[in-house]
Amino acid sequence: MTALPRTAALTDRERITRAVWLAGLGLLLLVLPKLIYPVLALDILAWGLFAVAFDLLFGFSGLLSFGHAAFWGSSAYVTASLLSNGQSVPVALLGGTLTALLLAVPVAYLSVRSAGIYFSMITLAFAQMISFLALQWTDLTGGENGLQGFERPSFWGLDFSDSTTRYYVCLVLFAVGFAVAWRTVRSPFGRAQQAVRDNEPRAQSIGYDPQRFKLTAFLISATLAGLAGSMYTFGHGVVSLEVVNWRTSGEVVMMTLLGGTTTLFGPVIGAGLVLILRDILTTANLPVGIVTGVVFVLVVLFFRRGVVGTVQHWTRRK
């Protein structure tokens, strides 16, 4: 019997490993509301998709954005506003997601022309502008009081007042968003996107347009971040200035690095670890910021590829 070439064998192993990760993540998310309370589980879905969206831009395109809270937050506010005005849940979720996409068009067009720290600072500047608008535009955002007390009317017989029902609705949305990210990075576009990340001059020399790939990746990332923000508002029934704060952009960076970039699974695991750790520390009345910071430093020092990235690296070595 002829042995498979080594490259083919490695490809088969990688496919099996990805299938195991995907099946394990799917099974865990299905039973998650039974393991922890549903509101925290829904937070993990929303933040997990937000981190996946960020990883799509940072890990696979090499663009570090410090302004993704603008898309998460603007979508959250629009979703809350639509629900407050009596719109159905699907319309509110769609409206919030499209708002993030529309906002991303000018931001992406202006920011992708720069690189490195200049790109990061431009995205941060736009996010600060959105944060200022959210504070001042009280008729729409409620200012410092935020938006709260809005109804989430039943749809197709689903009672959205039940937190478990809300979780499984968001699980479907998460699956759609994750599938879009998965397909994006494994499509010819995704391969070219990573080629631009690794060596932009060489990619340009063989006919790729780096600006076009960066712009498209930015728009997809912002749209998924907007979907995640809509899920967050739908789950909590309240939205405040925290969703557009610069710390929100920092938290999603930490979640992504903690789980592992360029893995797609890693950001979800990272989001779950951060949120569960925060919940445990808050319940135990321990300093959340200090302990979370220490954990992050330890992971960066000893798991440089992140938790999932390190496990995958060990698996490949074996």
Side-chain angles (χ1 to χ4, degrees):
M1 188 173 180
T2 305
L4 287 172
R6 182 170 177 78
T7 54
L10 285 174
T11 301
D12 290 340
R13 289 174 190 165
E14 289 178 356
R15 289 175 179 171
I16 293 172
T17 302
R18 288 172 184 168
V20 170
W21 276 106
L22 186 61
L25 180 62
L27 180 61
L28 177 61
L29 293 179
L30 281 174
V31 301
L32 194 58
K34 309 297 182 183
L35 304 177
I36 57 179
Y37 51 93
V39 175
L40 177 58
L42 196 152
D43 274 356
I44 292 174
L45 288 182
W47 280 96
L49 182 58
F50 188 22
V52 168
F54 174 79
D55 189 33
L56 197 62
L57 187 64
F58 174 59
F60 292 95
S61 298
L63 299 173
L64 175 58
S65 169
F66 285 147
H68 257 46
F71 312 117
W72 160 277
S74 61
S75 175
Y77 270 117
V78 170
T79 300
S81 179
L82 290 173
L83 289 174
S84 299
N85 287 281
Q87 296 296 329
S88 65
V89 169
V91 171
L93 293 172
L94 180 61
T97 305
L98 291 178
T99 299
L101 173 60
L102 292 175
L103 176 62
V105 173
V107 177
Y109 181 78
L110 294 174
S111 59
V112 298
R113 297 172 179 271
S114 303
I117 191 62
Y118 302 104
F119 172 87
S120 302
M121 290 299 101
I122 291 174
T123 56
L124 177 61
F126 275 107
Q128 290 299 96
M129 291 168 57
I130 297 299
S131 179
F132 179 78
L133 285 175
L135 176 63
Q136 298 297 323
W137 199 353
T138 55
D139 292 338
L140 178 65
T141 66
E144 294 182 350
N145 296 322
L147 298 176
Q148 52 190 319
F150 47 83
E151 296 292 330
R152 287 159 290 190
S154 300
F155 187 78
W156 284 352
L158 296 173
D159 180 16
F160 295 135
S161 62
D162 178 57
S163 58
T164 303
T165 301
R166 294 198 303 271
Y167 172 83
Y168 284 108
V169 169
C170 286
L171 180 58
V172 174
L173 297 175
F174 172 86
V176 172
F178 190 88
V180 170
W182 179 276
R183 180 56 186 156
T184 298
V185 301
R186 281 163 178 76
S187 65
F189 167 82
R191 301 300 183 189
Q193 173 189 355
Q194 294 169 59
V196 171
R197 174 202 64 191
D198 294 338
N199 195 322
E200 183 173 328
R202 180 175 294 179
Q204 191 169 12
S205 68
I206 60 176
Y208 291 131
D209 182 359
Q211 300 302 322
R212 182 170 64 88
F213 282 100
K214 292 178 182 179
L215 178 65
T216 305
F218 195 111
L219 295 180
I220 296 173
S221 175
T223 303
L224 293 180
L227 176 59
S230 294
M231 290 165 51
Y232 180 82
T233 298
F234 170 66
H236 281 266
V238 62
V239 61
S240 66
L241 287 172
E242 187 67 26
V243 297
V244 290
N245 193 281
W246 64 269
R247 288 190 297 270
T248 300
S249 296
E251 286 182 6
V252 77
V253 174
M254 181 176 66
M255 291 173 178
T256 305
L257 294 177
L258 183 63
T261 60
T262 67
T263 61
L264 288 185
F265 302 105
V268 183
I269 300 300
L273 291 175
V274 170
L275 294 175
I276 292 173
L277 178 62
R278 181 188 300 169
D279 182 69
I280 293 173
L281 294 174
T282 303
T283 304
N285 198 25
L286 294 173
V288 177
I290 295 176
V291 177
T292 305
V294 170
V295 171
F296 181 67
V297 170
L298 291 176
V299 169
V300 170
L301 289 176
F302 299 104
F303 299 89
R304 301 203 171 198
R305 295 178 175 85
V307 175
V308 173
T310 301
V311 172
Q312 289 182 344
H313 178 68
W314 288 345
T315 303
R316 292 192 192 102
R317 289 182 63 182
K318 291 182 179 180

